[in-house]
Every structure is written in structure tokens, then in C-alpha cells.
Amino acid sequence: MSTNRPYTAVLEKLKAAGLRPTKQRLALARLLLDGTDRHVTAEELHREAQAAALPVSLATVYNTLHQFTQAGLLRELVVDSGRSYFDTNVSHHHHFFYEDGGHLQDIPGDAVQIARLPEPPGDASIARVDVIIRVR
């Protein structure tokens, strides 16, 4: 019964997020949402899927990551144009980005203090502030 537990937990996460649990979504969610916080690129997840003998294309991985992000299961972090990481930790926090190694490290949300933000334009409101501190 314990072998079905991770499958059941992932299935429930997808359903709770309003996503239909397709075979590909379930397989990728099992790789991503095992309870360990991590930062992954689409290419890294695609390699993990191939290593696990999961028949998914890179396009499917990208589509699924964006669906998970829209559903609130992941956060997308754009560190450079054309270079995004997907974060399984969706709580309030920020990041160090190691430019030389290309990896991210979490910073607790309360460790960064922003004294003042500009007023958003028009009738817009600030949804979230993401801080990425680049280090070498």
C-alpha cells in the first residue's frame, strides 16, 4: 500500500488544482511533486523523464510545466531571456542565482526587506515581488 501513496498524493494534487490527471501529467508530477523542494528546467525534467523511460516530448514537458504553473503547483523563475526554472516551492520566498553554476538557492521570504515599491500603473495591483540575487 505504501507504494501507491506517492501516486495517490500526486493524483490528489492535480485534481485539487483543477487539472485532469492525464498519463503524462501524472508521470511528470510524480517526478516533480514528491515533497522535495527543487528548481528544475524543462530540459532537466525531460532528461529525468527519459531516464525513467517515460515517453514524453520536450514540448509536452514545457506545456505541462506551464499548466502546473498556471494551476499554482509551481512558480516560474526567469533568470535570463530564454532561461527559466520551475520551483516546486510556491510559498513566499526569494532566490540566490549562482551565475557560474546555473543553479538557484532559496532565501526565506522574511530575509529580504523592501522599503518601498512604486505605485503600480492605472488600476493594476502588485500580485507578488520576486527577488533574484545573482552571485558568483
Side-chain angles (χ1 to χ4, degrees), residues 6-90:
Y7 178 84
T8 303
V10 167
L11 179 63
E12 292 305 316
K13 282 183 183 182
L14 291 179
K15 286 181 178 180
L19 293 171
R20 191 168 52 92
T22 64
K23 187 185 279 190
Q24 286 103 346
R25 283 183 188 150
L26 275 169
L28 293 173
R30 289 180 77 184
L31 290 175
L32 276 173
L33 306 175
D34 65 355
T36 304
D37 290 333
R38 56 187 270 199
H39 310 96
V40 64
T41 65
E43 292 78 10
E44 289 168 344
L45 184 58
H46 185 245
R47 283 191 296 274
E48 288 179 27
Q50 287 179 320
L54 301 174
V56 294
S57 68
L58 183 57
T60 297
V61 170
Y62 269 106
N63 290 338
T64 302
L65 288 169
H66 288 291
Q67 291 163 354
F68 287 1
T69 299
Q70 289 175 339
L73 296 173
L74 300 174
R75 284 175 57 187
E76 182 177 12
L77 304 164
V78 180
V79 296
D80 288 317
S81 63
R83 188 171 185 188
S84 292
Y85 288 82
F86 294 86
D87 191 350
T88 60
N89 179 356
V90 295

Side-chain angles (χ1 to χ4, degrees), residues 2 5 38 41 44 62 67 92 94 125 129 132 136:
S2 62
R5 181 82 177 127
R38 56 187 270 199
T41 65
E44 289 168 344
Y62 269 106
Q67 291 163 354
H92 172 66
H94 306 286
S125 62
V129 175
I132 299 176
R136 291 187 186 140

Side-chain angles (χ1 to χ4, degrees), residues 100-114:
D100 296 337
H103 69 277
L104 292 159
Q105 177 182 333
D106 288 347
I107 302 170
D110 60 359
V112 175
Q113 295 183 12
I114 300 172

